[in-house]
Amino acid sequence: MNIQIFGTSKCFDTKKAQRWFKERRIPFQAVDLAKHGMSLGELTGVKNAVGLDNMVDPSHPDAVLVSYLAGGQAKLNRLFEDPSLLRTPIVRNGRQATVGYCPQVWEGWT
């Protein structure tokens, strides 16, 4: 397993996800979206796993504007430009991914 947890230091669910993997002694790589963001390839992989609409944080002030963008590629580019629009944590395991706190899915990965 090659677990990556994308999130921010202020996100409560990101901290819960990291704690969940630490308690089970599953190694992971923590990536701070505010500092490093995601590559376009990583973002596309997550989109393929969970769907584009599930990736947008509905509580973000600009979330409604993203829904008005014409095509999927335009939406993906907007998420790439502004990672604060992403719902966190984003947990990747190869081609598999989850958005939000999903321990029942992660349990199946172990």
Side-chain angles (χ1 to χ4, degrees):
M1 271 195 305
N2 187 16
I3 304 292
Q4 291 179 306
I5 301 175
F6 294 88
T8 59
S9 60
K10 295 182 180 184
C11 175
F12 179 71
D13 283 341
T14 299
K15 291 176 185 177
K16 277 181 21 181
Q18 290 174 350
R19 184 172 50 246
W20 190 91
F21 284 99
K22 282 180 186 175
E23 287 172 353
R24 285 152 186 81
R25 293 188 171 99
I26 299 171
F28 63 89
Q29 175 188 11
V31 180
D32 188 346
L33 282 173
K35 291 182 183 176
H36 305 289
M38 292 179 83
S39 72
L40 196 53
E42 291 169 331
L43 203 57
T44 302
V46 173
K47 176 194 69 102
N48 293 339
V50 301
L52 189 58
D53 293 331
N54 294 327
M55 295 172 61
V56 179
D57 182 2
S59 65
H60 193 283
D62 292 340
V64 175
L65 297 175
V66 173
S67 66
Y68 286 116
L69 292 174
Q73 190 60 42
K75 291 178 184 179
L76 193 65
N77 288 339
R78 181 68 177 115
L79 293 174
F80 177 68
E81 293 166 5
D82 186 3
S84 70
L85 284 163
L86 293 168
R87 191 169 142 218
T88 55
I90 297 173
V91 181
R92 291 184 62 219
N93 180 20
R95 293 180 184 241
Q96 300 172 317
T98 61
V99 176
Y101 184 72
C102 304
Q104 62 278 18
V105 176
W106 304 331
E107 194 69 46
W109 292 352
T110 57

